[in-house]
Each structure stands twice: as C-alpha cells, then as structure tokens.
Amino acid sequence: MKTKFLILCALFAYAQSVMAQSSAYFVNRTELIADKDNFLPIADLGDAKIALISTSQKKYAAFQEQISRYAPVSSYDLSNYRKGISNTNVLIIIGERAEFKADFWERMRNAASKGKKVIFCELGDSRFGFSAGLTSNMIYLKNQNTNSIAQRDLAMSVFGGMAITQGSNKRSQTRLQYADGNEQPIGLDISKMTRKIDAVANEAINEHATPGLVVMVVKSGRVLLEKSYGFHTYDNKERTDKDDIFDLASVSKISATTPLIMHLYEQHKIQLDSTLGFYLPAAKNTNKAKTTLRTVLLHEGGFEPYIPFYRALKTGDISRTRSSTHQVQLADQAFLKNGYYENIMWPRMLASPIRNAGQYVYSDISMYAMKEVAETVTGKPIDVYLEDWLYKRIGMQTIGYNPRKRFPKTKIVPTENDTVFRKELIQGFVHDQGAAMANGVAGHAGLFASATDLAIYGQMLLNRGTYGGVRYFNPATVDLFTSRQSKSSRRGLGFDRYDLDASKAYPSRFANESVYGHTGFTGTCLWIDPKHQLVYIFLSNRVYPDVSNKLYDLNIRSRIQDAIYETLNDAK
C-alpha cells in the first residue's frame, strides 16, 4: 500500500510539473502576500458563487475578461457592490488601494468575518501596509504594475492559470494558462504555425467545406492558439467567435458518456465484464443480455451501426407546435409526441439483430446503451449528473445538452438546413436525428460546447485525472480507457485512437501511439497527445447547409494537426 501511495504521489507531482512548464516561459509579477487558509488557487468551483467588485469595469476589463474564462462571475461596481456581498460566497476585488474608501473595507471585513472569502487583487506600487483596511482572514495579492498584462496575471493567479513564484507564498499552476496572443513560448514559432493553420482554414471556407471554424491548441497547459475563422453561414452575417458553441456530434461519446462510465467504474458501481442484462432489466430477455460493457465500449457487440428512426415516423407523430401530447422539441417548429424514445426507439434498439459479435463495427447503438446503463446505475439523467459531478466543478461553462435552454440562439452555430425531417434550419438543437428524438440527450450525440470547454476537459485527461487542484479520476483509470484495448481495432474503451497503420495517417501524419480522442460528424474533433503534452481541438459546422464530404476530401482537420506537429518538430 505504501508503494502504491508513493507511485500515486509521483504521478500527481508529474501532472503538476507538466502544467508548470508553460509558466516557465513567462514571469508572473504577482505576489501572494496573505492566504492563511491556502484557499488559492480556487479549486472546486461547484459551490463557488463569485462576485467581482471594481471601481471601473472599463478600466479593469482585462481582469474581468480573463477571470470569466475560469468561472461564472457576477460583476459589480462601487454603486451596487452590496448586492454582490449578499448573493455570493467569494468576493474578488480588483483595483488600486486609493480607489477604495474606509467604509468599503469595513464591509469587506464584516463579510470575511462571516465566512465569505475576500480576495483583494491590488495593482500598482502603493505605500499602504497590509494593515490598511485588510485583516488576516482576507486573501491579498499584489502586482506592481497596472497594465492589462498585470490584470491578466492577477486573474490567472487567483484560479491557478499561472504559478505564483514571487515571495514566500508560492503556488503551482493548476489550470490552463491563456496568453494575449503576442507572447511566443521559447523554441516554438507560433507565428509560423498560425500562418499554416490560417491557410488550411481559409481553404476550407473558400472551398465551402464549412462556413466557419474554431481551432485551439494547448501545449503543456498553455494555450498556444485559439482562433476563429469565417462565419456561421455563407451569407457572412454572423462572424464565428472563438467562444461560440458547436454541436459536438460523436465527440459527445468521449466528453459525456465515457467519462461518466469511467467515474462509475472507479466507484465500483459497474464492472466492465458484467453484462447489459445485469444492469438493464429491459435487456434481460433480449439478444443483448450477455453482451459485456467492455464489448459495448469497444464497439464489438455486433450492434447495428445506425438506425434511421425518423424514417419510421407516422402522421401525427410530429407537430409544428407544442402541445400537451407533443413536448419533445426537435427544432424551433418541430415537436415529437411524448414517450417516443421510451416506447418505440429504445425497444427497437433492444430488439435489433446482432451480427458478427466480437468484430469491430462502429455503432451509435453502443452509446445509446451505455447511457441507459449510466442512468440506471445513478438513478439520474446523464445531463444532470454530468453537470453536478464534472462540468460545473471543473469550470466548463458552455458544455451540455439542449443549449437553447441556457444560451441565446445567436451564440450557437447552426448546422443543417433540414429539408426532410424537421424542415427548417437546425440551430441549438442536436443535428443527429435519433438524439433529437431522444429529447436531445443521448449517449452518442447531443452535447454542445465551446473550444475552451473541450480544452479544459482535454487538459484534465492529459493530467491523468486532475485539474484545478481537484482529482476527478485516478491515473490508472485514464490510462485504461484511453489506451488500446482491442485486438481487432485501434480503439480504447469509448475513445478512438491513433491508427497503427501509418498509411492511413490517422488522425495525423505525425501522430504517435499515445494519441487518443474522437471526431464528430458535424465536423469536430478532440485529440490528446500525452507524448507531446498536446491538446488539439477543431470545431466546425461542415454539415451546413447540407451534409458535404469536402471537409474529409480536403483532409482539413488532419492537415491542421500536421501543422501543429511540424511546429513541435521544428523546435527540436
């Protein structure tokens, strides 16, 4: 047991050192002067209700923008900050000391005495001592400068985006580090890499492979590139933004269903060699009763690859308006009758034939089944469980199912102009027909997210289970699910992987055997490379206005990944 503990400690230290590598490129001028309870960097965000108080939102816009990348933050100025005190449990104050009066500090002291975390981020070279307004139960950071770089460094210091090396209260980097785009990591020609990626991205848009896209590259915990291209549609009205929300399609498999299965595996609530019949009462008397979860995750259960459920719809199953009998919203003006998934789709999946069990056949039905297992074991819908257990705590602010319930339509990139099934442009509702008919929540599709959220998730896996100072998985679990686990394919458990057949150049000509991730039908991918400590994200809506193979034919995703590897190889 002692040896196992020492190994785990070493692995954790390795993950932290990897995250710290990026900080070595840049000097953080921030000093942490007081934090007696070691609250910083803020770790689990699940219960954090954060208020940002400043004298001027315009003056401190750089701080506010940077801090909002890590967690949802409510902003207040000195005219309404009392509301922030009453509604939150973490108060972050940014400014120069002279900007705040004595009565303000009196209220802050009172808030701290009642258990609220009060964090003062001071800018400038003030002559005030620590005792001027602050008490020992407050947290105090200081940066001698007042420019936007100092503001960003302070914000990242609070959340672990940069290591704090000044003074005696040192802190490690625990979250992604974001740059302003002008800083060049030592040895890496990011400008050259960006030019190469620009050329491929613009080719994709010019050839109508996709109207727009977002690319994000993370190396050793530091964001090297996050850039958007093109527009939401070919009418060039809504420019694509790096924070836009995309339909992830099959990237949902590794960003929702699989991590939840990993979590339940660690809790000993499921066993990979137990069967669908053991976990699902509805499967006990079917041909899938003896199919193991391991086999399902490897896509070796012999399941049908895809069932076009929408083709079996009858007159009256879909209505153009919502009613008491049609509550399942498929699009803005398309509503499916209640209970269709439970009464028709899921029974049809259970009754579907099994062919060539033991051979690799990629199947969406596999992840429908794993979602059913997860919900049966937890007793909760998968979307609710994931939000509480992972997404909210780790700081993934956009990821989730049915984004129209949480975000404005314009923030979500549209997919297909569906002329057959829903008969309208699909925007903010899942493109996959089966997932839409399952009320937008399925095991194989339905998840939406921004590139930043996928980068957070990818970095957590790259750290072998830790992020923001919180452990979500044991390293052995990450290694098990992401490594090659099949004798007949390249697959891991739920995860796709690098293809050992070099002639396929999948997912890139320069990828290696450590690489794992997944692609999505809508034109997305997430690839993680432990060997190079690399996370690569590509998001697009290549199915707009209708499904096209040009993104595949032009090999856009892989060529951008090639450009990233070429940059790393040039630095050797």
Side-chain angles (χ1 to χ4, degrees), residues 329-378:
Q329 189 168 10
L330 308 171
D332 283 304
Q333 300 177 47
F335 299 85
L336 180 67
K337 72 176 183 179
N338 303 342
Y340 196 91
Y341 172 80
E342 296 82 0
N343 299 328
I344 297 176
M345 291 174 62
W346 179 233
R348 183 178 173 187
M349 283 184 259
L350 290 173
S352 62
I354 287 181
R355 301 184 180 93
N356 302 316
Q359 297 182 20
Y360 172 70
V361 178
Y362 182 73
S363 169
D364 284 345
I365 309 303
S366 296
M367 285 304 186
Y368 275 108
M370 294 310 299
K371 178 251 189 187
E372 291 293 329
V373 170
E375 292 189 338
T376 300
V377 171
T378 63

Side-chain angles (χ1 to χ4, degrees), residues 146-161:
T146 60
N147 57 25
S148 61
I149 294 176
Q151 291 184 36
R152 290 190 303 102
D153 290 355
L154 271 167
M156 288 192 283
S157 298
V158 170
F159 285 94

Side-chain angles (χ1 to χ4, degrees), residues 85-306:
I85 296 177
S86 61
N87 294 340
T88 53
N89 53 21
V90 179
L91 301 171
I92 301 175
I93 305 152
I94 177 69
E96 299 178 49
R97 184 73 68 100
E99 295 175 330
F100 302 95
K101 297 181 179 180
D103 63 330
F104 173 83
W105 291 117
E106 178 61 32
R107 292 186 183 277
M108 292 300 107
R109 288 192 292 270
N110 185 54
S113 70
K114 293 180 179 179
K116 294 181 186 289
K117 295 296 182 181
V118 178
I119 305 168
F120 179 40
C121 298
E122 183 180 11
L123 292 159
D125 187 14
S126 75
R127 299 180 181 276
F128 294 94
F130 175 78
S131 60
L134 303 182
T135 53
S136 62
N137 57 354
M138 295 182 184
I139 300 164
Y140 178 28
L141 301 96
K142 185 172 182 177
N143 194 302
Q144 299 285 342
N145 299 308
T146 60
N147 57 25
S148 61
I149 294 176
Q151 291 184 36
R152 290 190 303 102
D153 290 355
L154 271 167
M156 288 192 283
S157 298
V158 170
F159 285 94
M162 292 188 81
I164 300 175
T165 58
Q166 307 294 315
S168 59
N169 292 303
K170 301 183 187 301
R171 295 290 189 272
S172 299
Q173 181 184 344
T174 61
R175 286 189 172 88
L176 291 179
Q177 180 183 126
Y178 301 93
D180 64 358
N182 297 316
E183 300 163 333
Q184 293 282 327
I186 296 172
L188 296 177
D189 192 340
I190 303 304
S191 296
K192 183 179 180 181
M193 181 187 77
T194 303
R195 290 193 297 272
K196 289 183 178 181
I197 293 174
D198 288 349
V200 180
N202 290 327
E203 179 186 346
I205 294 168
N206 293 335
E207 294 295 327
H208 278 208
T210 180
L213 58 108
V214 173
V215 176
M216 194 163 184
V217 182
V218 180
K219 175 76 168 72
S220 301
R222 176 178 167 76
V223 177
L224 299 184
L225 176 71
E226 49 178 340
K227 191 169 183 179
S228 59
Y229 302 84
F231 295 81
H232 284 192
T233 61
Y234 291 115
D235 61 13
N236 293 357
K237 290 182 179 180
E238 188 75 30
R239 186 173 292 278
T240 305
D241 185 78
K242 61 183 176 62
D243 296 320
D244 279 340
I245 300 168
F246 287 77
D247 182 336
L248 300 183
S250 285
V251 176
S252 305
K253 293 179 171 72
I254 65 164
S255 304
T257 314
T258 299
L260 181 48
I261 293 297
M262 293 166 66
H263 174 62
L264 297 177
Y265 166 79
E266 279 199 344
Q267 291 187 319
H268 305 291
K269 292 184 177 180
I270 63 167
Q271 295 182 11
L272 296 177
D273 293 315
S274 290
T275 63
L276 290 179
F278 179 81
Y279 294 106
L280 301 175
K284 285 185 177 179
N285 296 318
T286 72
N287 58 6
K288 298 171 181 61
K290 295 183 180 180
T291 304
T292 66
L293 303 191
R294 186 187 303 273
T295 302
V296 176
L297 288 166
L298 291 173
H299 295 274
E300 295 177 1
F303 298 170
E304 290 191 37
Y306 167 71

Side-chain angles (χ1 to χ4, degrees), residues 367-539:
M367 285 304 186
Y368 275 108
M370 294 310 299
K371 178 251 189 187
E372 291 293 329
V373 170
E375 292 189 338
T376 300
V377 171
T378 63
K380 292 183 178 181
I382 188 173
D383 54 336
V384 174
Y385 197 99
L386 282 164
E387 177 66 18
D388 292 340
W389 162 66
L390 179 61
Y391 299 156
K392 187 186 299 182
R393 295 173 61 203
I394 204 170
M396 297 167 78
Q397 299 181 55
T398 63
I399 198 166
Y401 295 90
N402 292 311
R404 286 282 294 277
K405 295 179 179 179
R406 298 173 291 125
F407 299 99
K409 185 176 181 178
T410 55
K411 191 64 180 170
I412 309 164
V413 178
T415 52
E416 187 176 4
N417 184 18
D418 186 349
T419 60
V420 176
F421 173 33
R422 288 166 276 191
K423 303 185 187 308
E424 61 180 278
L425 177 65
I426 307 304
Q427 187 168 7
F429 299 95
V430 58
H431 175 264
D432 182 272
Q433 297 94 338
M437 296 168 71
N439 209 14
V441 183
H444 70 295
L447 205 64
F448 288 71
S450 65
T452 296
D453 277 1
L454 287 184
I456 291 169
Y457 176 64
Q459 187 64 52
M460 182 270 288
L461 292 175
L462 200 56
N463 295 344
R464 299 173 75 218
T466 64
Y467 189 81
V470 178
R471 178 163 292 285
Y472 296 94
F473 298 112
N474 291 323
T477 302
V478 176
D479 293 348
L480 172 66
F481 278 75
T482 61
S483 61
R484 185 182 176 190
Q485 294 294 316
S486 173
K487 296 180 180 180
S488 61
S489 80
R490 63 179 181 244
R491 303 286 300 200
L493 295 171
F495 289 88
D496 197 2
R497 289 185 37 78
Y498 164 79
D499 200 306
L500 293 174
D501 183 350
S503 66
K504 294 181 179 178
Y506 184 83
S508 162
R509 289 186 296 134
F510 306 109
N512 59 80
E513 196 169 349
S514 75
V515 174
Y516 61 89
H518 218 285
T519 60
F521 184 80
T522 50
T524 60
C525 72
L526 166 62
W527 290 108
I528 299 157
D529 181 342
K531 180 180 178 181
H532 293 98
Q533 289 297 297
L534 187 71
V535 179
Y536 163 53
I537 295 135
F538 179 100
L539 300 178

